[in-house]
Structure formats: structure tokens, C-alpha cells
């Protein structure tokens, strides 16, 4: 018999499975994959961490909030990041940050506006969205509004702030309140509620401003909204003056009910003579 062909014969040493082979490596890979955080998976890689881990949000990662029109801001880093509503919206993926000098086609809420936002802006908002300037009211003069360009700059009508910083102050709305007000007035109530629902105090914005917003929604143009604003302010002024008059009247009535200490009422035992005259009698 010939010699065994050892060159082509399979070698037991080569084919013997090594310790920790394919099965072990597959098991290790599965264990490693399961130990990774949720955000590392491809389908969740685009989700901000606040959507998954932020307990203050009213939405879970499975029900991620979404607005189907552009929402944007120019952020000048004036505010405390922990209290800034614009930065929180950015963490939630609900707003896009714009570079200074970039142009926005939708409605921009800006003090440079000459018209107030109105239901007539609904088509613009529905197509191109809303943008705001995220800055501090104390440093508003530092904002280069000339570099914030939009063909549709708008003012907001009379509304009250309900955020913790400026609660109760007229026109002192923060970023999310300004966005929500614009969406409410132009008929996109659901978008406004989506934004406000991310804040613990968000419900109070509609509770406080609902009566005003409903009246603005009945207007057809910016001119009508401006007239409605003047009517609301006049009514509030009259209500304030009436309240002051009522308080003044109540105070004057109370004064009449208080005994004048200079006019003592004689008692039944008093014969009308003064103590000094009694002392003079011998």
C-alpha cells in the first residue's frame, strides 16, 4: 500500500474547535448587545436622550411628540439652560436651532414686526412654520434683529405670561409660550398643546389666556386682532377702575361705622356734668 497522503488529509489539530469558538463568541455578542443602553440601537439613535430618560416629559419614547410643520429658534444663550424653554424643546426634538443670518420663510415672532399674528397667517404657518428669538427680556437690546430675516415678522397681541419667571406679566412670554400663542391664534391648537405639554406649568397658559385667545381666533385679519386687543385692554382697565372704586367705597363705609373717639357717648348714669364741675361742688 502507498503512503497516506498527509498533505491533503484534514488535520484534527486544525479542525478541532477551540475553546470559546463560534458558539461562545455568538453568546458573548448577544450578551454585549443586550447590555447596551436603548439609545445605542440604530432605530433609537436619532432620539434625544431626554425623550428616553427625561422624567419631566409627558411623552414616552414610544409616543414621541411630533409637530408636522417647521418650528425653529435663534438662540443667543442669554438664559439659564436649566430653565430655558427653548433649550428644553431642542432636547425633546421639537425645535430646530437656526444660525444668525439664516433666513426663515415662516412666521417669526419678533419685536421688529409691524403686524400682529392673526388667523390670516394660517396658510403661512401650515406651510412654513413658526420661529422665535430665544433671548432674555433684560438683554433684548443686545439681539441683532437686523440679522434675523423673514418676510413674515409678527408681533403677539396682549397675553399674560404664565411661566414661573414672569408669571402674570403682560407680553413677557417665553419661547414656548410665544410659539403656542401663534399656533393657537392661527388655528393649530394641537401643535400648541404638544409644545406646552412638555412643561409642568403648561396647562396654565390656556387657563389664563384662553378667553383672550378665543376672541383673537374670531378675527379675520391683523387689523381686527389689533382692534380686539384694544378692546380687551380697555375692558381690563375699566374692570380695574371699577374694582378700585368698589374698594374705596367699602373703605369709606367702614370708616362711618367706626366710633369717633372725640365724641364719647354718655352712659345712662351720666347726668351730663363733667368730672371737673362735680369737683367744684361743695
Amino acid at each position: 500500500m502507498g503512503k497516506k497522503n498527509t498533505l491533503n488529509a484534514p488535520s484534527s489539530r486544525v479542525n478541532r474547535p477551540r475553546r470559546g469558538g463560534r458558539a461562545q463568541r455568538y453568546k458573548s455578542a448577544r450578551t454585549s448587545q443586550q447590555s447596551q443602553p436603548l439609545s445605542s440601537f440604530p432605530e433609537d439613535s436619532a432620539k434625544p436622550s431626554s425623550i428616553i430618560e427625561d422624567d419631566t416629559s409627558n411623552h414616552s419614547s414610544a409616543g414621541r411628540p411630533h409637530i408636522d410643520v417647521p418650528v425653529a429658534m435663534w438662540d443667543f444663550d442669554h438664559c439659564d439652560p436649566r430653565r430655558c424653554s427653548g433649550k428644553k424643546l431642542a432636547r425633546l426634538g421639537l425645535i430646530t436651532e437656526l444660525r444668525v443670518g439664516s433666513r426663515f420663510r415662516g412666521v417669526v415672532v419678533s419685536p421688529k414686526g409691524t403686524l400682529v399674528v392673526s388667523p390670516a397667517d394660517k396658510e403661512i404657518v401650515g406651510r412654513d412654520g413658526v420661529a422665535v428669538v430665544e433671548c432674555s427680556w433684560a438683554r433684548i437690546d443686545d439681539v441683532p434683529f437686523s440679522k434675523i430675516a423673514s418676510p413674515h415678522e409678527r408681533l403677539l397681541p396682549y397675553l399674560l405670561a404664565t411661566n414661573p419667571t414672569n408669571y402674570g406679566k403682560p407680553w413677557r412670554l417665553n419661547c414656548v409660550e410665544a410659539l403656542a400663542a401663534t399656533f393657537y391664534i392661527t388655528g393649530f391648537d394641537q401643535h400648541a398643546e404638544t409644545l406646552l405639554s412638555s412643561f409642568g406649568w403648561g396647562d396654565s397658559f390656556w387657563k389664563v389666556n384662553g378667553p383672550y385667545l378665543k376672541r383673537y381666533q374670531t378675527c379675520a385679519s391683523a387689523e381686527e386682532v389689533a382692534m380686539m386687543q384694544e378692546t380687551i385692554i380697555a375692558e381690563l382697565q375699566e374692570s380695574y377702575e371699577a374694582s378700585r372704586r368698589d374698594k374705596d367705597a367699602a373703605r369709606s363705609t367702614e370708616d362711618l361705622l367706626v366710633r369717633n373717639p372725640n365724641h364719647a357717648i354718655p352712659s345712662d348714669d351720666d347726668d351730663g356734668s363733667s368730672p371737673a364741675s362735680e369737683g367744684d361742688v361743695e
Side-chain angles (χ1 to χ4, degrees):
M1 295 179 64
K3 295 182 178 179
K4 183 183 290 187
N5 187 355
T6 58
L7 295 177
N8 296 327
S11 172
S12 60
R13 175 176 297 181
V14 174
N15 290 333
R16 182 182 299 121
R18 291 177 298 177
R19 182 175 301 176
R22 179 184 299 177
Q24 181 66 27
R25 290 196 299 273
Y26 176 72
K27 182 178 180 181
S28 299
R30 287 190 59 188
T31 303
S32 175
Q33 187 183 46
Q34 293 174 354
S35 64
Q36 292 177 352
L38 182 62
S39 59
S40 66
F41 285 87
E43 60 268 25
D44 294 311
S45 59
K47 295 181 180 180
S49 59
S50 57
I51 292 294
I52 299 172
E53 301 174 358
D54 188 359
D55 294 334
T56 63
S57 174
N58 292 335
H59 305 277
S60 65
S61 58
R64 179 180 179 179
H66 174 71
I67 295 178
D68 58 4
V69 300
V71 181
M73 70 173 178
W74 288 273
D75 187 6
F76 290 92
D77 294 322
H78 289 177
C79 307
D80 184 347
R82 296 169 298 178
R83 303 173 64 184
C84 177
S85 64
K87 284 183 170 57
K88 181 171 183 178
L89 292 178
R91 292 194 299 270
L92 295 173
L94 289 171
I95 198 168
T96 301
E97 293 191 38
L98 301 173
R99 296 191 304 272
V100 176
S102 60
R103 187 177 180 85
F104 187 79
R105 296 181 179 180
V107 168
V108 173
V109 180
S110 167
K112 283 182 58 184
T114 57
L115 298 175
V116 291
V117 65
S118 74
D121 296 315
K122 183 172 184 177
E123 182 179 352
I124 300 172
V125 172
R127 183 184 65 243
D128 299 317
V130 185
V132 294
V133 178
E134 178 59 83
C135 64
S136 169
W137 281 102
R139 299 177 58 186
I140 197 168
D141 293 335
D142 299 336
V143 177
F145 285 103
S146 59
K147 297 182 180 180
I148 298 174
S150 170
H152 308 294
E153 294 182 350
R154 296 289 187 268
L155 298 166
L156 286 175
Y158 178 89
L159 293 167
L160 296 172
T162 59
N163 64 80
T165 302
N166 291 311
Y167 187 88
K169 296 181 180 179
W171 289 293
R172 289 301 181 98
L173 278 59
N174 64 8
C175 177
V176 67
E177 289 174 314
L179 291 168
T182 303
F183 279 130
Y184 273 130
I185 293 172
T186 54
F188 296 94
D189 293 24
Q190 185 58 53
H191 294 344
E193 292 166 6
T194 297
L195 294 174
L196 291 170
S197 65
S198 299
F199 299 83
W201 50 266
D203 290 344
S204 62
F205 184 75
W206 175 260
K207 292 178 181 178
V208 172
N209 293 293
Y212 310 140
L213 292 167
K214 289 179 181 178
R215 296 173 72 174
Y216 296 142
Q217 288 174 339
T218 64
C219 301
S221 64
E223 290 76 13
E224 290 187 12
V225 172
M227 293 176 61
M228 182 64 72
Q229 172 184 250
E230 295 304 317
T231 300
I232 290 173
I233 292 175
E235 292 174 353
L236 291 173
Q237 184 65 29
E238 173 59 28
S239 176
Y240 172 76
E241 293 177 356
S243 176
R244 290 292 302 271
R245 288 194 297 268
D246 291 344
K247 289 182 179 179
D248 291 342
R251 187 178 300 109
S252 62
T253 302
E254 291 175 358
D255 291 343
L256 293 175
L257 298 177
V258 176
R259 177 183 299 178
N260 189 335
N262 296 320
H263 298 148
I265 299 177
S267 62
D268 295 338
D269 298 333
D270 192 350
D271 59 0
S273 60
S274 65
S277 62
E278 292 178 354
D280 294 336
V281 177
E282 296 180 354

